[in-house]
Amino acid sequence: MSYGYYMVFNNNSDNLQDVPFVVSYGSTLVFDGVGKDCISIVGLTSSPKGYPISGAYGEECINLTIVSKGGKEYCATLKNGVHITTLHTTLSSSRIRPIAEKSYTYAYFSYDKNFENYVINRLDLSLPKDFGEVEKVVLRLLNNGYNVLIYGVFA
């Protein structure tokens, strides 16, 4: 049995965190100085709840607020199965492929490819043209039972 670690990314980025931030119930995660007029959120996986294993499809998980340097705000609610999936790609002895409606699979990784297989998602958001440069991104968990992993927010 091999316990080697491997990670495969669809895109390269120098700013990904090796250990993800966890947005848990009652917590807020803020990324300052993001820049540009569009952002990508890498992570958006959860355990123990997460589509398709647990939690209702469309259940509200995270309140996302993007603030421009000019003070404009873009708000959205990220939902189970729409933006967020389970982090597991194995369920008992079966392999699964958790797919979100609006996020896409960004990476797979494993500690033991027979038992511990995981996924990382990516959500790309284009902001209105008059929104301006992004100053900060705020993620706040709305629903107990989700522990959403975030590896980074990028412009």
Side-chain angles (χ1 to χ4, degrees):
M1 194 179 314
S2 170
Y3 287 95
Y5 175 87
Y6 71 91
M7 186 175 284
V8 180
F9 286 96
N10 293 337
N11 297 332
N12 292 326
S13 177
D14 295 333
N15 298 320
L16 286 175
Q17 299 297 311
D18 293 337
V19 177
F21 300 101
V22 180
V23 185
S24 57
Y25 193 65
S27 70
T28 300
L29 180 61
V30 178
F31 290 88
D32 287 327
V34 176
K36 304 288 183 182
D37 57 358
C38 67
I39 65 161
S40 296
I41 303 171
V42 177
L44 297 176
T45 57
S46 178
S47 184
K49 283 188 175 181
Y51 182 81
I53 294 175
S54 180
Y57 180 85
E59 188 172 40
E60 294 182 348
C61 297
I62 286 186
N63 180 323
L64 168 70
T65 303
I66 303 169
V67 181
S68 75
K69 289 185 177 179
K72 292 182 182 177
E73 288 189 359
Y74 171 89
C75 296
T77 301
L78 304 183
K79 299 177 180 179
N80 189 28
V82 178
H83 307 97
I84 295 169
T85 66
T86 182
L87 91 111
H88 304 283
T89 60
T90 50
L91 178 61
S92 187
S93 62
S94 299
R95 292 186 186 258
I96 62 171
R97 186 170 179 211
I99 298 175
E101 184 181 328
K102 295 192 177 179
S103 299
Y104 67 89
T105 302
Y106 182 70
Y108 293 97
F109 67 99
S110 176
Y111 296 102
D112 176 344
K113 57 186 185 174
N114 293 319
F115 300 103
E116 289 190 53
N117 300 286
Y118 305 101
V119 66
I120 299 172
N121 296 321
R122 178 175 167 169
L123 175 64
D124 297 328
L125 295 169
S126 294
L127 301 169
K129 291 185 183 210
D130 65 343
F131 188 77
E133 203 169 313
V134 175
E135 181 179 352
K136 68 181 173 180
V137 176
V138 180
L139 300 158
R140 185 176 56 83
L141 197 71
L142 299 173
N143 197 318
N144 198 5
Y146 289 91
N147 294 304
V148 180
L149 305 180
I150 304 293
Y151 289 85
V153 174
F154 309 99

